[in-house]
Amino acid sequence: MDDQFDLVVIGGGPGGYPAAIRAAQNGLNVALVEGKEMGGTCLNRGCIPTKTLIANANVLKQAEDAEEFGILTGGITFDYGRMVDRKDRVVGKIRKGVEGLMASNKITLIRGWAEYLSPTEIKVKLANGEDKIIHANKSVIATGSEPREIPAFKVDGAKVHDSTTVLNLKALPKKMVIIGGGIIGCEFASLFKTLDVEVVVVEMLPTLLPLEAKSVSDAIMKHFMKQGIKYFVGTLVERLEHQGDQIEIVLGNGEKVTTDMALVAVGRSLNTNKVGLDKAGVHVNEKGFVLTNEHMETNVPGIYAVGDIASKWWLAHVATHQGIVAGDHAAGIDATMHYEAVPSVIYTTPEIATVGLSLEQAIEKEHDASVSMFPYQAIGKAQAENHTDGFAQIVWDKKTGAVIGAQIVGHDAGTLIAEMTLAIQNELTIESVTETIHAHPTIAEIWLEAALQAHEKPLHMPPRRKAS
Ligand code: NAI
């Protein structure tokens, strides 16, 4: 059986389904092919399930801290199995919503695995084993990534997990060693520590979160130490050995760490090798990324690529934006992708959010840059809520006053970064921030104070002593 569409999207994650919706909104006849659940890694095995588990853990933490607020709770216990059930309910509800959006936008959802036969012809292996051939002059590849497999760290889903299998634990171990201190490793470290698991993180580079600004990596290491999360940095994990019921983690320096369970979080690999890119004539670079122009179009006119496979930004919201650009451009609208203001949120305790340049990157790019910092402690709303740990900082260009970066470590950092994202996207200055009335009492006042700090005129901070 053959079918003809204007545009076919391969992959139903946060890159693919927005591309399909936007193309359909633009009047194209669209099909979307997905082999697993709609919503991709983000909805089913990433952002949403992890953030739901983290939300559960945060409620536990609030309950444990209740006495500070005059609330006496008595002994607090929790049932991890019920936390996991709640995570599955939240994911299921959102997945239904996404499937509903496909139907309401009249997108044909085809369940199966797609492979190009030519630039305009795609074979879909359906769940019932049959092949379906579909034709479209235009297509979007949005096949994403999955946890990187390393033979020395064989994931068995019982004692050794990756970021997918660990989501389905029914009970928590006493001790968890996490291999890799990147975003995934650090988020799970915070989650499991809040749930009273003994956590050890091993990272081969010299800091945790090695890709972040130094002030951010330093802050998370300080907080982890304070919270009792043990970590080794500059330490390679060589291999894992099963010793009865336990796992031995063999480090590069010959030391061994014994644990009940291990989580492998050493990066992800791209899903580009099973889609028949060669038959479509689509080029990938030596790292496996599909090369695109600023419209997300590959070297083959009419074939687009979005999401993890298409840029170094492995973030759901970047994929979504790229999907919208592809869905517009495929319909003849002159849409382009920009990356100057990409926010990124790391859901550790405390939360971390960044956008634009760090001070180190700004100096490297030859900006005459400065950084203005303000602590949560001096913000009234942070005191009221007992969220006094952390800081916000703005990186700005001293010549133009332009805001070029921001980092925030502290409560609700992920929500708060939106203001700086808008500022950078619209090339606003430090003065634009100081001239903006910030509602009181809110933690967002931290940006106003950090901006005032740029000219050494913060309100809620004593003047710096001048050298006499
Ligand atoms: P990652 O590349 O950020 O971190 C992996 C870490 O493992 C690296 O720091 C690396 O040095 C270390 N490592 C590798 N081999 C090792 C070994 N043998 N021994 C010790 N350390 C070793 O990858 P991660 O954390 O798996 O995340 C993958 C991607 O997913 C990230 O790029 C991120 O953008 C995305 N992501 C984003 C989230 C968010 O935005 N909140 C949440 C989760 C993932």
Side-chain angles (χ1 to χ4, degrees), residues 46-47 50-51 145 147-148 150 153 163 178-188 202-205 207-211 232 235-239 251 264-268 308 312-317 343-347 352:
C47 327
T50 54
K51 270 76 247 184
S145 65
R148 188 150 71 100
I150 295 192
F153 309 150
S163 59
I178 300 177
I179 304 166
I183 299 184
I184 293 184
C186 287
E187 286 191 354
F188 275 108
V202 191
E203 165 57 51
M204 68 179 183
L205 294 176
T207 62
L208 296 181
L209 299 180
L211 300 181
F232 298 90
T235 309
L236 181 84
V237 173
E238 265 188 0
R239 60 181 189 281
L251 307 182
V264 182
V266 293
R268 300 180 62 83
D308 288 4
K312 63 167 188 167
W313 300 99
W314 289 5
L315 296 167
H317 44 278
S344 161
V345 186
I346 305 176
Y347 292 85
I352 296 169

Side-chain angles (χ1 to χ4, degrees), residues 313-340:
W313 300 99
W314 289 5
L315 296 167
H317 44 278
V318 171
T320 297
H321 219 86
Q322 292 171 335
I324 292 170
V325 167
D328 273 341
H329 195 262
I333 297 167
D334 185 23
T336 52
M337 194 63 206
H338 299 279
Y339 298 97
E340 289 79 20

Side-chain angles (χ1 to χ4, degrees), residues 73-145:
T73 55
I76 293 164
T77 54
F78 66 93
D79 178 339
Y80 187 67
R82 285 169 69 169
M83 290 185 168
V84 173
D85 289 346
R86 173 169 182 269
K87 178 259 300 175
D88 291 338
R89 284 199 303 280
V90 169
V91 169
K93 196 169 158 188
I94 301 178
R95 197 190 294 140
K96 272 212 172 73
V98 174
E99 286 165 356
L101 285 172
M102 295 299 99
S104 57
N105 281 287
K106 301 197 167 43
I107 295 161
T108 304
L109 178 55
I110 302 171
R111 303 282 187 171
W113 295 99
E115 192 185 330
Y116 284 96
L117 298 177
S118 78
T120 57
E121 201 178 13
I122 293 168
K123 180 178 83 181
V124 183
K125 168 97 31 226
L126 302 173
N128 63 9
E130 274 179 32
D131 286 344
K132 181 184 177 81
I133 308 293
I134 51 182
H135 300 269
N137 284 337
K138 295 190 173 173
S139 54
V140 179
I141 314 160
T143 46
S145 65

